[in-house]
Amino acid sequence: MSDFGVGAWVFALALVAFIVVTTIGFVRRDRQMKRMQSLMDADTVSLPGWTEGETVRLLSSAEQPGFYTLRPRFLSKIETIAFHHLKRAVPQHEVLAHVRLIDLFQLTAAGEDEKWLEAFRLIAYLDVSFVVCDGDTVIIAVVDLENPGAITNERMTRLQQAKKLALRTAQVRCVTFDPMHPPTEQELRQMVLEPETMVA
């Protein structure tokens, strides 16, 4: 067989292999998308749907006058009081407000399996009132305000349970208190800081 004939066969085989690999990739991607959609449909805490061209649509919507308006204040009045109370209790630490769990935690499971998606969905829309960090932004504790009036239905109860489970799983120091009946600054300081990190 001539060199030309061998080269043609090699090219043909390479082309067939490329087509097979590409087809398998598309099939796997389609299966993953369907599996992700089924997972999102299975729970009330789901990721928002995303379709082709969604970014363009959102950008065009954002250009409409008055589409976004600034909130009157970042924290409610009671949250502001609690924030300053916490700042006075731990003056040498950083206090961050309204921190999402998805920014607080890192997911350790593989990025494409069902367990990862389930773990992501569990915390995607949950946040905590405050996060206390040291000067290097190392997380010291989470402070969450108790608000029984906000739990109005079974879904809210489930979300609160999911938050507590995530915090307990991450083994982060978690402090909760009623903002209408807060602890003293000294009590709050002791609740938030480990004994060895407390500064006299």
Side-chain angles (χ1 to χ4, degrees):
M1 184 179 292
S2 66
D3 292 341
F4 176 78
V6 172
W9 274 105
V10 170
F11 176 78
L13 289 174
L15 182 60
V16 170
F18 173 77
I19 293 173
V20 171
V21 170
T22 304
T23 303
I24 292 174
F26 278 119
V27 170
R28 290 183 61 186
R29 180 183 175 188
D30 184 63
R31 287 178 179 174
Q32 289 176 351
M33 292 299 293
K34 289 180 178 178
R35 186 169 54 184
M36 183 183 300
Q37 187 61 47
S38 65
L39 285 172
M40 291 189 295
D41 293 340
D43 198 345
T44 55
V45 185
S46 60
L47 299 175
W50 197 262
T51 58
E52 187 175 353
E54 188 75 6
T55 302
V56 175
R57 184 186 69 79
L58 288 177
L59 289 176
S60 63
S61 299
E63 294 173 356
Q64 299 178 9
F67 189 82
Y68 296 109
T69 56
L70 193 64
R71 296 174 59 176
R73 56 191 305 151
F74 181 63
L75 300 176
S76 68
K77 291 184 178 181
I78 192 67
E79 287 174 332
T80 302
I81 294 173
F83 174 80
H84 288 297
H85 186 59
L86 180 58
K87 283 289 291 180
R88 287 191 298 268
V90 288
Q92 297 186 5
H93 290 72
E94 303 296 331
V95 178
L96 310 177
H98 284 312
V99 180
R100 303 181 306 169
L101 294 192
I102 198 67
D103 296 323
L104 189 62
F105 300 150
Q106 56 184 0
L107 300 180
T108 56
E112 294 185 356
D113 61 16
E114 295 183 7
K115 289 184 178 180
W116 188 93
L117 290 173
E118 183 178 356
F120 178 86
R121 284 179 20 256
L122 183 65
I123 65 174
Y125 299 109
L126 302 177
D127 67 359
V128 292
S129 302
F130 307 108
V131 173
V132 178
C133 302
D134 65 12
D136 292 326
T137 69
V138 175
I139 298 168
I140 302 298
V142 166
V143 179
D144 215 22
L145 300 181
E146 295 177 351
N147 187 8
I151 303 177
T152 57
N153 53 44
E154 182 180 353
R155 180 173 184 272
M156 293 301 297
T157 300
R158 289 180 59 200
L159 290 176
Q160 289 300 314
Q161 291 173 344
K163 181 196 295 189
K164 292 179 180 179
L165 175 62
L167 292 169
R168 186 165 61 248
T169 301
Q171 297 182 339
V172 60
R173 173 179 284 262
C174 186
V175 175
T176 61
F177 67 87
D178 183 351
M180 300 303 295
H181 302 90
T184 66
E185 291 180 13
Q186 181 62 29
E187 290 172 340
L188 184 55
R189 180 180 173 85
Q190 292 175 347
M191 292 165 65
V192 169
L193 301 181
E194 295 282 355
E196 58 268 26
T197 66
M198 293 183 61
V199 180

